[in-house]
Amino acid sequence: MLSAADLRDPTSAAYKKARKRHLKTTRNRDEQLEADWTPFRAAEKKYKARFPPPDLSDVLDLALLDESRAEETKRGGWWGKPDALQCKEIRMNHTEGKTAYVFPSTPGLVLLPSFVSPEEQRHLVRWALSDHARPPNETNLDTHYILPEEGLWNKYVNVRRHVCEDEFIQPRASLTMATDSISTVISEPTGPRKLISNEPVSKDNYAAISAAPKPPLAPSPSVHPLTTSALIQKLRWANIGWSYHWGSKQYDFSKGKVEIHDDVKRVCKRAVDAVDWFEVFGDGVPDCGDWGEDGPDWESWNETYEPDAGIVNFYQVKDTLMAHVDRSEVCATSPLVSISLGCAAVFLIGGLTRDVEPTPILLRSGDVVIMSGPACRRAYHGVPRILEDTLPPHLEASAADEDWELYAEYLHTTRVNVNVRQVFPVLPVDTLKVR
Ligand SMILES: O=C(O)CCC(=O)C(=O)O
Ligand SMILES: [Fe+2]
């Protein structure tokens, strides 16, 4: 496979070949169209580019400050700069040897580099693939395929260990066409997550949005049977907690809530608890945004933060997550905790519109991002690039743990993001009592 280093060396054969292909595909590029790109779109295009590989010198890469991550940051030849952006180190609670950073450009954004230990990273990856991406938690593949009851990953492990055959997993369409009336389902092709412009949820429209019908998505009639090994590469997300309805981009509370696993909750609570929120939002922090009629609630987060929803994202190296705002949560301010595992990525976060120039941050395995407060929770953000060959040494296969081998192999081309949210404010007004 071509490495990023090959593509940066103009004397290499790989560079010459890629350049030729690039010139051919961009010959008819519409320059006027490019001039119309919003700053967010322009940044996405820049980091997505396969050739030449993007220059990351304006991407914040705080791992470079950490001597113990030297082996990790060497991988793949991808480096940002530790001083690419303006950020400030803040005081933390009960946390030895860790650091937290805030950003004047996005009040409420907190970065905790290397917050999750290597051991805990392995534990979370196992949880995500083996325990979580299976019933009762919905995955992107459930709509379209009749998945094995034991979970796709567990089946895949059995296939690789020759415990069972690599059978073809059948599309669901053949089954449901006969039983579902077409008018009760909405069609959604497979592929990346779609951008649907949904209405921001608030206490005022919550009841109406909850009551609106949420018909199941239609299984695609064009998907083909695939083996377990082929299908595992197409796993893109698994739901956490309250069920999310992708057709309307709203939660479907009628389906009930699956409890968030204690181990995941514990990491998220530890992260929120580690932050001194006065340093993030206290006196003298400007432009924190509009907290709504009840005013700021950050002072109680260390005690009241209680996640109840979220998603595990599985990105293969060529996947991207387009600019979006997570606006389906009733509580538009409480911390959203986002844990990065596996390959590194470029994360972009801008402002309330795509016209705000986004801040680029290199996220590596074990890093935690917290998005909190009105300015940050409603900020456009996305992941335009997964950086190939960046799996840290502590996630590689090791002779000491044979069972890890298949996880390590999968992670070589994958980034896992555990994205945990709080849908309801902790003290819901009467109309919000669904818990
Ligand atoms: O993968 C990430 O870092 C961000 C994911 C995200 O923004 C989302 O799931 O809404
Ligand atoms: Fe998001």
Side-chain angles (χ1 to χ4, degrees):
M1 206 173 91
L2 283 183
S3 75
D6 288 331
L7 290 179
R8 282 194 207 99
D9 172 8
T11 62
S12 76
Y15 178 97
K16 287 175 188 153
K17 195 167 160 208
R19 182 167 183 273
K20 215 163 148 187
R21 202 174 44 223
H22 170 75
L23 291 174
K24 203 168 149 197
T25 54
T26 55
R27 215 170 22 209
N28 298 324
R29 204 144 75 177
D30 184 340
E31 281 174 18
Q32 184 51 43
L33 202 72
E34 292 184 22
D36 292 342
W37 285 340
T38 60
F40 206 112
R41 188 82 194 113
E44 284 177 327
K45 287 281 186 185
K46 168 178 170 177
Y47 295 112
K48 260 171 93 159
R50 293 280 139 194
F51 183 86
D55 168 14
L56 303 186
S57 60
D58 51 6
V59 179
L60 182 73
D61 188 358
L62 290 170
L64 296 171
L65 298 175
D66 184 345
E67 195 43 42
S68 71
R69 298 181 91 177
E71 272 304 310
E72 176 182 355
T73 52
K74 266 192 229 153
R75 303 240 155 158
W78 295 106
W79 297 284
K81 287 253 168 72
D83 54 359
L85 300 172
Q86 218 196 330
C87 62
K88 182 184 134 203
E89 201 177 315
I90 59 164
R91 224 176 17 228
M92 289 177 84
N93 303 320
H94 351 278
T95 313
E96 285 276 309
K98 302 275 178 218
T99 323
Y101 296 86
V102 291
F103 300 79
S105 58
T106 317
L109 178 67
V110 185
L111 176 57
L112 307 168
S114 200
F115 185 78
V116 180
S117 71
E119 194 179 55
E120 218 164 13
Q121 290 173 40
R122 287 193 291 270
H123 183 70
L124 287 175
V125 169
R126 280 183 210 271
W127 164 81
L129 286 164
S130 177
D131 305 333
H132 185 72
R134 59 180 291 185
N137 306 304
E138 199 193 341
T139 72
N140 63 303
L141 298 173
D142 284 286
T143 304
H144 307 292
Y145 287 94
I146 306 163
L147 297 181
E149 213 21 55
E150 75 260 43
L152 191 64
W153 176 263
N154 298 323
K155 171 94 182 183
Y156 170 69
V157 169
N158 283 335
V159 166
R160 293 292 304 273
R161 292 193 180 140
H162 308 292
V163 174
C164 64
E165 291 279 312
D166 198 359
E167 296 160 338
F168 279 91
I169 293 181
Q170 298 302 320
R172 199 176 277 281
S174 49
L175 257 191
T176 43
M177 277 309 171
T179 53
D180 268 348
S181 115
I182 296 297
S183 62
T184 63
V185 292
I186 343 170
S187 190
E188 187 225 33
T190 47
R193 280 166 52 173
K194 299 286 160 329
L195 293 177
I196 293 172
S197 198
N198 57 339
E199 191 180 351
V201 179
S202 70
K203 286 187 300 189
D204 303 329
N205 64 9
Y206 157 77
I209 286 176
S210 292
K214 299 188 175 59
L217 295 174
S220 165
S222 61
V223 303
H224 300 290
L226 283 178
T227 58
T228 311
S229 317
L231 208 51
I232 199 71
Q233 296 295 321
K234 295 188 180 292
L235 178 67
R236 291 290 174 273
W237 54 259
N239 192 73
I240 300 179
W242 288 115
S243 177
Y244 194 70
H245 181 254
W246 288 87
S248 58
K249 289 232 160 188
Q250 304 292 359
Y251 288 96
D252 183 352
F253 298 109
S254 69
K255 285 196 168 166
K257 177 175 73 166
V258 183
E259 271 308 307
I260 302 186
H261 197 284
D262 272 348
D263 297 350
V264 176
K265 241 188 212 178
R266 208 172 304 127
V267 180
C268 297
K269 286 192 166 193
R270 212 173 68 220
V272 170
D273 207 33
V275 175
D276 184 329
W277 291 103
F278 185 84
E279 295 255 347
V280 184
F281 292 115
D283 296 345
V285 179
D287 308 326
C288 296
D290 178 6
W291 291 83
E293 62 199 36
D294 299 330
D297 57 351
W298 56 264
E299 276 179 77
S300 65
W301 287 347
N302 289 124
E303 295 86 49
T304 59
Y305 165 73
E306 193 61 46
D308 53 7
I311 187 168
V312 181
N313 294 297
F314 300 91
Y315 300 86
Q316 294 303 303
V317 280
K318 294 216 166 126
D319 291 338
T320 59
L321 178 59
M322 301 263 291
H324 67 281
V325 175
D326 299 302
R327 51 177 146 230
S328 311
E329 291 74 33
V330 179
C331 187
T333 55
S334 78
L336 177 157
V337 177
S338 170
I339 305 167
S340 291
L341 302 162
C343 288
V346 176
F347 174 73
L348 295 176
I349 180 155
L352 300 182
T353 71
R354 290 187 179 83
D355 292 322
V356 177
E357 178 88 36
T359 296
I361 301 174
L362 211 159
L363 295 179
R364 297 180 184 271
S365 195
D367 294 348
V368 168
V369 166
I370 304 184
M371 294 170 64
S372 70
C376 182
R377 279 301 306 275
R378 294 297 197 237
Y380 275 89
H381 59 281
V383 181
R385 182 75 175 224
I386 308 298
L387 300 168
E388 54 272 34
D389 305 323
T390 49
L391 191 67
H394 58 260
L395 297 184
E396 293 279 8
S398 85
D401 185 356
E402 243 181 70
D403 187 44
W404 182 253
E405 196 174 327
L406 289 174
Y407 289 96
E409 185 188 289
Y410 174 78
L411 286 179
H412 260 278
T413 55
T414 311
R415 170 174 182 261
V416 180
N417 170 258
V418 184
N419 203 279
V420 183
R421 304 140 191 208
Q422 178 167 341
V423 176
F424 291 102
V426 168
L427 296 172
V429 295
D430 284 348
T431 51
L432 298 180
K433 277 191 183 141
V434 295
R435 289 204 277 186

